[in-house]
Amino acid sequence: MNEAKPYVLDLSEVGSGDVALVGGKCASLGELFRELTLQGVRAVDGFSTTSHAYELLLETDGLRKRLQKLLKGLDVNDIEKLASVGEQARALMLETPFPKEVEAAILDAYERLGKRIGKRSFEVAVRSSATAEDLPDASFAGQQDTILNVRGDSKLIEACHQCYASLWTDRAISYRTTKGFDHFEVALSIGVQPMVRSDAACSGVMFTLDTESGFRDVVVINGAWGLGEAIVQGMATPDEWIVYKPTLKQGFRPIITRKLGVKEVKMVFADDDTGTQVREVVESQRKRLCLAGFEVLQLADWACKIEDHYSKNAGKPTPMDIEWAKDGVTGELFILQARPETVHTQKRENYIETYELTGVHGAPLTSGVAVGERIGSGNAHVLHDAAKLASFKQGDILVTTQTDPAWEPIMKKAAAIVTERGGRTCHSAIISRELGIPCIVGTGDATEKIKNGSPITVSCAEGDVGNVYYGKIDFKVKRQKITSDARPKTQVLMNVGDPDHAFSVSRLPNDGVGLARLEFIINNHIGIHPMALVNYPNLRNRGDVETIANRISEEDPKEFFVRSLAEGIGRIAAAFYPKPVIVRMSDFKSNEYAMLLGGREFEPVEENPMIGFRGASRYYDDRYKAGFRLECLALLRAREDMGLTNIKPMIPFCRTVEEGERVIALMAEYGLVQGENELEIYAMCELPSNVVFADEFLEVFDGYSIGSNDLTQLALGLDRDSEMVAHLFDERNGAVEKMIAMAIDAAIRKGKKIGICGQAPSDYPEFAEFLVKRGINSISLNPDTVIQTTRHILETEKALAQSAKTQ
């Protein structure tokens, strides 16, 4: 080896400052192995070739000049010409003899590595590492090849030669040109590491931010059976977990989301003991998460340490994109590589963009995992074969099974992307985020359900589930500028029901959540009546038993409810932590509860459910008491296990003071003890009795939240669902305003907090002005009215202050 210009370095000799020498990936691998292992992160040993080795190859037989001649005048938008040039460039690389000096250095390093790990002729991963890779504004991830399960001297040199040639794939040539990089200013190095036997276990990818909203306080982990390439290439729809970083660092167990992926296939070692192959995953494995909870928390802890390390080195917050694997032989977890995240890190947006469908549409043609929160429409272009990319037109919607880097030249032409396989960290998802286009992955049947050439709309604006509709559906885009205006004395909270949108709306200027409805989570994320789960499998309707069995899989039915509800609540609470999040306990009416799976068996048929068996009266009744216990256990888990003590339960439709005392005693029996661990329990002020006996109610509860919808209908004696008297429904009616004023006055007398969470302050600025003048503590608004109403509140407070000075 030329000592002045080394061709190979062990990873222990490489650090983050050596990008120009070993490329971004290998510099990161060296940093991980050399620095992060000291912090308890289990990284993998190995070695890297240097840029000197690549330069020597380019000088062999005039290779550089031949490549320059071949690439001159290339238009990368000409797909056919790009493919031809790319093929010729790779052929030139492979035809050029591999420099003997480089070969000797690689084999010597392979032998030394074997001695360090106690093995001979062992399988390794051969990973490409470009000198322009993993930059803040250009990731280059996946542009060059990684070759897995390589064993023996001759196979190793052959794999290294292939890696060098992969610098000239069509997608790599196109990407460099698009990003403005000179082809010959980018060199390639090769990282070689022992294989972690994840072929016998699982592997995946994790990000230290939410990949859709950019929310910085979570770790998102994807995992599937077998080698990680199946996830990266979008072959398998993975399991997903989201872990909240701040309370994880405090020692809690804040897994706030877990989703079971289909995990259709897995990549394993080939039968001939070299290379890899893809196999179908057996049904029992598909129905099981590939990681245990403690392993998820271990990976999240390592992700935090890696992010903290790189952030310290960079002198600024640096979210990370990390690959991990579990060894099926030893059972150990490993970190394979880490690089800076490049999509959200580069955004400098000071606004929130909200997409909403406004046109009429039918049922979805297909659904999958939403990537981003945008909407796009165009003509469907169903493609099964990468060889036919040239037929793709600008503005078409790409519909295919899965994508890999070879598809990138046409992906930048697409109005949207829909795939049958993959998760939020697969190739399709990563590239669509970078391009800023909507994408739905993991549909399972898109190429069957969507007709080639048909007009379709791809909507990622309806939560975590993305939908594809027939036709070009009208939609609107609303931009809300995020300002650093002064905060009003009156707290501005938000009404947030959907956990899937919580991370996004938390960016708005706010003081917390004034109303988080359990009903939304129960209805959309659980869908089963709590008492049906309590009594499962002893239900009269055997069809319900079968449906519930399929939905809960092998999980205990009561645990399914508690876990799902705790995670939904936890995701909202985490989005706003440490600001208060007021969670209203379930307030379904009996007719609404009956619509849940298994619900009809447990619900009465009432003439007027609006003022019937609802709210607090249900909680201590034997017909629902066991269901309320599950609700309490979910809140307890979110507070105690996840560390989200900003959660404050609120009791709806509490008719009498005695009923309030009874409910609070029952909550204590189920572990939610008022006053312990900063637990406050609020009540809805939505009945005339809540106003008339406000002083007495506020002896029992820690605060009030005015429900102006129910208070209005009960004060005026009308059914708000009746179109015949709907014209009389008005929160600004004098009788209603007088009752609200009485409630505020009582709270001020008792020194208790009082807010409002009804619709009126969002709809009527003058009503919000009335509340501020009366001295209300907080106003909870729909997210789309927060900025506008906050400014109006500031103006009102300023006017009141000026008026007070002149008196």
Side-chain angles (χ1 to χ4, degrees), residues 685-697:
C685 179
E686 54 191 342
L687 307 171
S689 63
N690 300 146
V691 176
V692 174
F693 285 100
D695 291 84
E696 289 80 3
F697 273 102

Side-chain angles (χ1 to χ4, degrees), residues 9 19 127 180 187 232 271 275 293 313 330 345 459 461 481 490-491 527 592 610 640 653 678 786:
L9 293 172
V19 174
R127 311 164 75 98
V232 175
D271 292 332
N313 285 355
T330 67
T345 308
S459 173
K481 189 174 181 180
T490 307
Q491 290 189 324
E592 295 167 339
M610 187 71 75
E640 302 292 332
F653 227 75
E678 303 177 2
V786 163

Side-chain angles (χ1 to χ4, degrees), residues 517 707-714 720 729 731 757-760:
R517 301 177 179 90
S708 59
N709 294 341
D710 273 340
L711 187 59
T712 299
Q713 77 166 346
L714 293 170
R720 71 184 193 211
F729 188 93
E731 297 94 329
C757 59
Q759 182 68 24

Side-chain angles (χ1 to χ4, degrees), residues 177-398:
T177 302
T178 302
K179 291 291 184 179
F181 285 87
D182 186 314
H183 295 295
F184 297 93
E185 291 296 319
V186 178
L188 191 77
S189 296
I190 299 167
V192 178
Q193 294 178 289
M195 287 289 297
V196 175
R197 292 300 305 271
S198 58
D199 62 301
C202 58
S203 57
V205 180
M206 56 184 175
F207 287 80
T208 61
L209 49 59
D210 178 53
T211 51
E212 307 316 309
S213 65
F215 182 69
R216 295 288 183 93
D217 283 339
V218 291
V219 178
V220 177
I221 302 173
N222 278 190
W225 303 113
L227 302 171
E229 283 297 298
I231 291 180
V232 175
Q233 294 181 23
M235 297 179 187
T237 304
D239 299 330
E240 181 173 285
W241 299 263
I242 299 179
V243 182
Y244 184 56
K245 291 189 287 190
T247 56
L248 175 71
K249 293 179 179 180
Q250 296 171 23
F252 293 98
R253 301 183 295 279
I255 301 176
I256 58 174
T257 299
R258 75 190 80 199
K259 294 179 181 177
L260 183 69
V262 181
K263 303 185 291 294
E264 304 91 335
V265 297
K266 61 180 177 180
M267 185 178 287
V268 297
F269 285 7
D271 292 332
D272 61 3
D273 208 30
T274 181
T276 61
Q277 63 185 12
V278 176
R279 290 179 179 169
E280 288 192 0
V281 176
V282 297
E283 189 69 19
S284 59
Q285 279 193 316
R286 290 189 185 194
K287 292 182 176 180
R288 183 158 51 92
L289 292 167
C290 65
L291 287 173
F294 74 92
E295 293 172 320
V296 171
L297 295 172
Q298 177 65 81
L299 287 173
D301 177 65
W302 286 351
C304 290
K305 288 177 178 176
I306 291 168
E307 181 182 49
D308 289 347
H309 175 82
Y310 279 85
S311 297
K312 182 179 179 181
N313 285 355
K316 62 180 181 179
T318 306
M320 300 297 291
D321 170 356
I322 303 165
E323 293 183 21
W324 61 270
K326 179 179 178 180
D327 194 301
V329 177
T330 67
E332 295 176 307
L333 292 167
F334 288 88
I335 298 298
L336 302 182
Q337 73 174 58
R339 55 177 172 253
E341 190 273 346
T342 58
V343 176
H344 289 286
T345 308
Q346 295 306 303
K347 291 183 178 179
R348 296 291 183 267
E349 298 170 350
N350 64 341
Y351 61 86
I352 291 179
E353 204 170 56
T354 305
Y355 283 69
E356 181 184 350
L357 289 171
T358 56
V360 177
H361 58 79
L365 298 174
T366 187
S367 301
V369 179
V371 178
E373 298 171 340
R374 299 187 177 193
I375 299 173
S377 60
N379 293 327
H381 194 128
V382 181
L383 269 178
H384 296 279
D385 187 353
K388 299 180 179 179
L389 298 184
S391 63
F392 193 85
K393 298 176 182 178
Q394 185 76 35
D396 282 353
I397 293 179
L398 175 60

